[in-house]
C-alpha cells in the first residue's frame, strides 16, 4: 500500500495567513485470490416484526440467500431473527450446506414487535464464540422499524456497539423503508466500525447485501488510522469528513476503518496557517498512517509517516488549486450543507435549509472546476433539494430526511460513489411515471414532476434550467428556457421555446402550441411531467 498526501496549494505567501486544505491518502493494491482471503465470521440479524411483511421480507430472504451462495466452507455464519422475541435460526457453522441454510431462510415468517437490541446482542454472542484475530468478525443488523423492546435508549446502544468493536466485533447496520431511526443506525455503525446502508425500497435489498459482501470478500487491511501532528505554528486542524476521532490537544487521530482492494482511502483536513516569517521550505505537520495489512501469512501492523511541507515565497500569488483536492473539498462541503439543512428542517426552518443548499451549489458555480461532471451532478442535486425544501413539510418527511442524511454520511465517509448510485436509483424511481387516466378534453388542474406538484393557476408558467423559470429542471439536455405553459380561454397550451433537444407530449414532438389534457405526459430532456386533476396523485 502507498500513503501520501496532496495540498490544495503547496506555495504560500510570506507573512500572510492561510486556510489550507490537506488530503491524506492511502492507496491499496488488489485483493487476494479468494482461496487466500481472510475467512469471515458473520452473524446476520434479520428483523421479522409485522412491518416486514410482503415484499420487504421477500427481498430480504433473497438478499440473505445471495450472501450464503457467495460464502465458502472456511467462513462461519449464524442467523438471528427477532421481533419481540429473539430466535437463532442458524447457530454458528461453516457455510458448507448451502441448500439447507437457504431453505431455512426461505421459511422466515413475520409478526410482532421490534427487539432490536436482543437480536443484535445475540448475534454478537454467536460471533464471539468463534472470535479469532485472523478472521473478519462482523454482525450485520437489518431493521425496518424503531427499537421498542429490550434496550431502546440510543445512547446505550451506541455505547454497546463501541464496546463490541473494542472486543473485536464490528457492526454494519441496514435500515429498510421509512420507519427506522436513521440517526441511531448511523451512530451504531460509526461506533461499531462497520458501514451504514439505507435500503430505500425492498427491491434494493439484494444490491445492498451484495455491496457489503463484496467489501468483506475484498478486505486487504483493517483498523486504518491517520494521525496528524501539526507544528507549533499551525493554529488548528478540522476534518471535512465524518470519521471517529480523538485528540489530546497536540495530536489528533482519525479512524478510517477497513481497507478494500484497489481502493483510495482519503481524509480531507483544513489547517489554519498563521503568517509565516521566513521564506523557503517549511514543515507544517506530520502525518502518520497505521493499519493492519492482511496477507496470506496473516496480518502485519504497518506504520508510515509523511512530513507535510510547503514552500513559502515573498509576495507569491497562489497557484491554481490542486483539482483533486478542490473537488473533494467541494463535495464534502456539499455533504456538510446537507447535514446542516437536515438539522434546520428538523426545527421547521425550511428557508434556512434551502439557503444552505443553494449556498453550497453557488460555491461550485464560483469554482474553476464548475464544468467538472461530478460537480455538475452535485450542483444539480443541491438545487433540486433546495427548491424542494421551500415546500416545507410537503417535501420534508421521513423518506426525504433519510435520503439527505444518508447522502451526507456516504460522502463524508469516503463513499461518494454510493451517494451517486442512490441518487441514480432515485431518479429512476421518480421517472417511472405513475399511470393516470387520460381524459381527452378535460382541462388539467395540476402538474407533477420528481415528487413535486404545482397547481396550474398562472397565465404563464415557464419550464427550464434557469432559476427564473416557474418550474426549474436543472438537468442535462434541458435548455435554460425550454418550454412554457400558457393559459388561454380556459385551456392550457404547451409551447416549445426553441429548445436544443425539443419538447415532447406523449412521446410526440411539440411543433406548435399544443392543448394539454388530463393524463398527458410531457418530456423535457430526461425529465417527465404529468398533467392531472388529482390532488392526491403521486409519481
Amino acid at each position: 500500500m502507498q500513503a501520501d498526501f496532496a495540498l490544495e496549494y503547496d506555495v504560500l505567501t510570506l507573512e500572510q495567513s492561510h486556510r489550507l486544505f490537506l488530503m491524506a491518502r492511502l492507496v491499496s493494491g488488489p485483493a487476494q485470490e479468494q482461496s487466500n482471503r481472510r475467512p469471515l465470521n458473520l452473524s446476520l440479524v434479520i428483523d421479522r416484526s409485522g412491518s416486514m411483511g410482503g415484499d420487504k421480507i421477500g427481498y430480504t430472504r433473497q438478499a440473505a440467500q445471495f450472501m450464503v451462495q457467495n460464502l465458502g466452507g472456511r467462513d462461519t455464519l449464524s442467523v438471528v431473527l427477532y421481533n419481540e422475541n429473539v430466535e437463532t435460526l442458524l447457530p454458528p457453522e461453516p457455510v458448507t450446506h448451502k441448500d439447507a441454510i437457504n431453505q431455512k431462510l426461505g421459511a422466515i415468517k413475520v409478526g410482532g414487535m421490534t427487539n432490536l437490541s436482543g437480536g443484535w446482542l445475540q448475534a454478537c454472542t454467536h460471533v464471539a464464540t468463534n472470535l479469532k484475530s485472523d478472521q473478519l468478525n462482523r454482525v450485520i443488523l437489518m431493521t425496518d422499524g424503531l427499537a421498542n423492546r429490550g434496550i431502546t435508549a440510543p445512547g446505550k446502544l451506541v455505547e454497546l456497539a463501541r464496546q463490541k468493536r473494542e472486543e473485536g466485533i464490528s457492526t454494519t447496520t441496514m435500515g429498510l423503508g421509512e420507519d427506522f431511526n436513521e440517526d441511531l443506525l448511523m451512530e451504531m455503525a460509526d461506533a461499531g466500525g462497520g458501514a451504514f446502508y439505507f435500503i430505500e425500497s425492498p427491491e434494493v435489498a439484494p444490491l445492498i447485501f451484495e455491496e457489503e459482501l463484496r467489501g468483506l470478500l475484498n478486505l486487504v487491511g483493517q483498523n486504518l488510522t491517520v494521525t496528524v501532528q501539526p507544528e507549533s505554528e499551525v493554529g488548528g486542524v478540522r476534518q471535512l469528513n465524518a470519521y471517529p476521532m480523538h485528540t489530546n490537544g497536540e495530536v489528533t487521530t482519525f479512524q478510517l476503518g477497513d481497507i478494500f482492494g484497489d481502493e483510495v482511502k482519503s481524509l480531507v483536513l483544513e489547517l489554519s496557517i498563521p503568517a509565516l516569517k521566513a521564506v523557503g521550505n517549511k514543515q507544517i505537520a506530520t502525518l502518520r498512517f497505521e493499519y493492519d495489512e492482511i496477507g496470506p501469512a496473516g496480518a502485519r501492523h504497518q506504520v508510515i509517516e509523511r512530513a507535510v511541507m510547503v514552500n513559502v515565497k515573498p509576495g507569491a500569488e497562489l497557484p491554481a488549486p490542486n483539482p483533486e483536492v478542490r473537488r473533494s473539498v467541494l463535495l464534502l462541503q456539499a455533504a456538510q450543507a446537507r447535514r446542516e439543512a437536515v438539522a434546520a428542517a428538523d426545527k421547521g426552518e425550511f428557508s434556512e435549509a434551502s439557503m444552505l443548499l443553494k449556498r453550497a451549489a453557488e460555491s461550485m458555480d464560483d469554482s474553476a472546476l464548475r464544468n467538472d461532471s461530478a460537480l455538475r451532478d452535485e450542483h444539480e442535486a443541491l438545487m433540486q433539494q433546495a427548491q424542494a425544501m421551500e415546500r416545507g413539510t410537503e417535501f420534508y418527511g421521513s423518506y426525504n430526511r433519510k435520503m439527505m442524511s444518508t447522502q451526507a454520511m456516504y460522502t463524508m465517509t469516503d463513499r461518494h460513489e454510493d451517494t451517486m448510485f442512490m441518487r441514480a436509483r432515485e431518479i429512476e424511481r421518480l421517472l417511472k411515471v405513475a399511470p393516470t387516466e387520460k381524459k381527452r378534453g378535460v382541462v388539467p388542474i395540476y402538474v407533477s414532476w420528481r415528487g413535486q406538484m404545482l397547481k396550474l393557476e398562472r397565465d404563464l408558467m415557464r419550464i427550464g434550467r434557469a432559476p427564473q423559470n416557474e418550474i426549474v429542471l436543472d438537468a442535462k439536455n434541458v435548455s435554460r428556457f425550454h418550454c412554457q405553459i400558457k393559459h388561454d380561454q380556459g385551456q392550457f397550451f404547451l409551447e416549445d421555446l426553441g429548445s436544443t433537444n425539443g419538447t415532447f407530449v406523449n412521446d410526440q414532438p411539440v411543433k406548435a402550441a399544443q392543448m394539454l389534457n388530463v393524463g398527458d405526459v410531457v418530456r423535457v430532456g430526461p425529465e417527465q411531467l404529468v398533467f392531472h386533476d388529482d390532488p392526491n396523485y403521486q409519481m
Side-chain angles (χ1 to χ4, degrees):
M1 299 190 198
Q2 297 180 334
D4 65 4
F5 67 89
L7 294 168
E8 185 182 21
Y9 305 102
D10 56 9
V11 174
L12 301 184
T13 304
L14 182 68
E15 296 185 345
Q16 181 176 317
S17 61
H18 296 83
R19 182 188 67 167
L20 184 63
F21 291 109
L22 160 69
M23 177 190 287
R25 299 176 296 201
L26 184 77
V27 182
S28 68
Q32 301 173 46
E33 297 293 331
Q34 287 297 305
S35 58
N36 292 324
R37 69 168 173 82
R38 171 167 282 201
L40 305 179
N41 175 22
L42 303 179
S43 189
L44 181 58
V45 193
I46 298 176
D47 184 345
R48 65 162 181 183
S49 59
S51 57
M52 281 289 294
D55 284 347
K56 287 184 179 180
I57 196 62
Y59 280 106
T60 300
R61 292 192 202 103
Q62 178 183 330
Q65 290 167 338
F66 166 84
M67 180 169 283
V68 169
Q69 289 303 120
N70 285 274
L71 296 175
R74 295 167 60 240
D75 301 314
T76 301
L77 177 68
S78 59
V79 179
V80 175
L81 310 178
Y82 69 95
N83 44 24
E84 67 267 30
N85 300 308
V86 176
E87 173 192 349
T88 295
L89 179 71
L90 179 74
E93 64 176 52
V95 186
T96 52
H97 303 292
K98 296 184 178 183
D99 289 343
I101 296 172
N102 281 334
Q103 285 177 10
K104 291 183 177 182
L105 291 168
I108 298 173
K109 306 297 183 185
V110 300
M113 306 295 282
T114 308
N115 186 355
L116 182 150
S117 65
W120 171 63
L121 288 170
Q122 181 63 65
C124 290
T125 298
H126 288 324
V127 172
T129 61
N130 294 280
L131 190 67
K132 296 178 182 177
S133 60
D134 63 347
Q135 298 180 141
L136 191 152
N137 306 286
R138 177 162 294 183
V139 173
I140 301 173
L141 168 66
M142 197 283 295
T143 185
D144 82 326
L146 301 174
N148 51 31
R149 287 290 186 274
I151 301 170
T152 60
K156 179 63 174 175
L157 288 166
V158 172
E159 182 55 33
L160 284 170
R162 184 174 291 108
Q163 291 176 15
K164 295 301 179 184
R165 180 182 188 178
E166 291 172 354
E167 295 169 10
I169 301 171
S170 58
T171 297
T172 280
T173 61
M174 300 178 178
L176 170 59
E178 296 188 39
D179 297 327
F180 67 91
N181 182 339
E182 62 269 28
D183 295 333
L184 169 62
L185 293 193
M186 287 181 189
E187 290 176 19
M188 285 185 68
D190 187 45
F196 164 78
Y197 299 90
F198 174 29
I199 306 175
E200 64 268 26
S201 57
E203 67 273 13
V204 177
L207 295 175
I208 298 299
F209 274 67
E210 180 182 358
E211 181 178 345
E212 171 72 359
L213 182 61
R214 184 169 59 248
L216 297 179
L217 294 177
N218 289 282
L219 193 75
V220 296
Q222 289 184 278
N223 308 315
L224 171 62
T225 63
V226 178
T227 299
V228 56
Q229 181 170 4
E231 295 298 307
S232 57
E233 301 96 329
V234 176
V237 176
R238 181 180 71 90
Q239 71 160 324
L240 274 66
N241 299 83
Y243 293 118
M245 56 169 284
H246 65 269
T247 183
N248 63 7
E250 295 182 0
V251 300
T252 304
T253 298
F254 302 89
Q255 297 175 329
L256 278 63
D258 295 334
I259 310 165
F260 304 115
D262 295 316
E263 182 184 26
V264 179
K265 297 283 283 192
S266 61
L267 167 70
V268 178
L269 303 172
E270 181 184 12
L271 307 180
S272 297
I273 311 294
L276 299 174
K277 304 296 185 183
V279 298
N281 290 328
K282 169 68 178 176
Q283 182 170 345
I284 57 173
T286 301
L287 290 173
R288 180 183 177 93
F289 300 80
E290 291 191 62
Y291 57 93
D292 297 317
E293 185 171 13
I294 298 170
R300 292 187 304 164
H301 189 69
Q302 303 281 16
V303 178
I304 303 173
E305 288 195 353
R306 294 285 183 264
V308 181
M309 308 292 295
V310 294
N311 188 6
V312 183
K313 294 185 176 180
E317 290 188 8
L318 291 180
N322 180 301
E324 182 182 4
V325 177
R326 191 65 192 147
R327 181 184 301 107
S328 293
V329 168
L330 289 167
L331 291 174
L332 288 167
Q333 288 174 338
Q336 182 61 36
R338 282 196 181 86
R339 180 170 285 186
E340 293 172 358
V342 166
D346 284 347
K347 296 184 288 187
E349 298 172 355
F350 297 110
S351 295
E352 172 69 13
S354 178
M355 183 190 69
L356 288 165
L357 296 167
K358 287 179 180 177
R359 191 178 296 156
E362 288 166 0
S363 68
M364 294 179 180
D365 280 336
D366 296 338
S367 167
L369 299 177
R370 57 184 172 273
N371 293 321
D372 178 271
S373 60
L375 296 181
R376 283 292 307 162
D377 289 343
E378 195 68 15
H379 179 280
E380 178 183 331
L382 287 165
M383 290 302 297
Q384 289 170 350
Q385 290 169 345
Q387 291 152 16
M389 270 294 185
E390 293 173 353
R391 294 161 49 208
T393 55
E394 181 187 350
F395 162 78
Y396 189 71
S398 176
Y399 180 83
N400 285 313
R401 185 188 194 279
K402 287 175 170 58
M403 288 294 293
M404 293 185 65
S405 297
T406 302
Q407 289 177 30
M409 188 279 295
Y410 282 171
T411 298
M412 296 177 79
T413 52
D414 214 15
R415 295 168 58 192
H416 186 66
E417 281 191 0
D418 286 343
T419 293
M420 296 170 66
F421 291 149
M422 169 175 278
R423 195 173 294 148
R425 292 195 300 266
E426 180 69 359
I427 291 172
E428 183 179 354
R429 182 185 73 84
L430 291 173
L431 291 181
K432 289 179 180 177
V433 175
T436 183
E437 182 184 357
K438 294 187 182 299
K439 302 176 183 178
R440 292 300 161 198
V442 179
V443 179
I445 301 174
Y446 305 96
V447 57
S448 291
W449 73 100
R450 280 204 180 199
Q452 302 185 57
M453 185 164 67
L454 177 69
K455 192 171 185 179
L456 300 172
E457 297 178 309
R458 304 181 184 182
D459 288 336
L460 179 65
M461 286 164 282
R462 296 168 301 173
I463 302 171
R465 187 160 43 83
Q468 294 87 355
N469 289 283
E470 283 69 34
I471 297 177
V472 179
L473 302 177
D474 190 5
K476 295 177 181 177
N477 299 323
V478 176
S479 298
R480 284 179 53 77
F481 296 95
H482 198 106
C483 58
Q484 64 184 16
I485 304 164
K486 292 181 69 174
H487 181 257
D488 186 20
Q489 298 183 4
Q491 299 287 340
F492 289 100
F493 295 85
L494 183 71
E495 298 176 343
D496 185 80
L497 296 176
S499 64
T500 302
N501 295 293
T503 305
F504 299 81
V505 177
N506 303 323
D507 291 325
Q508 297 301 312
V510 174
K511 297 181 179 178
Q514 182 166 334
M515 188 171 70
L516 293 167
N517 303 283
V518 166
D520 282 342
V521 178
V522 172
R523 179 162 59 82
V524 177
E527 308 289 340
Q528 297 192 67
L529 303 94
V530 179
F531 291 81
H532 59 93
D533 57 358
D534 181 2
N536 298 312
Y537 175 81
Q538 292 185 347
M539 291 186 71

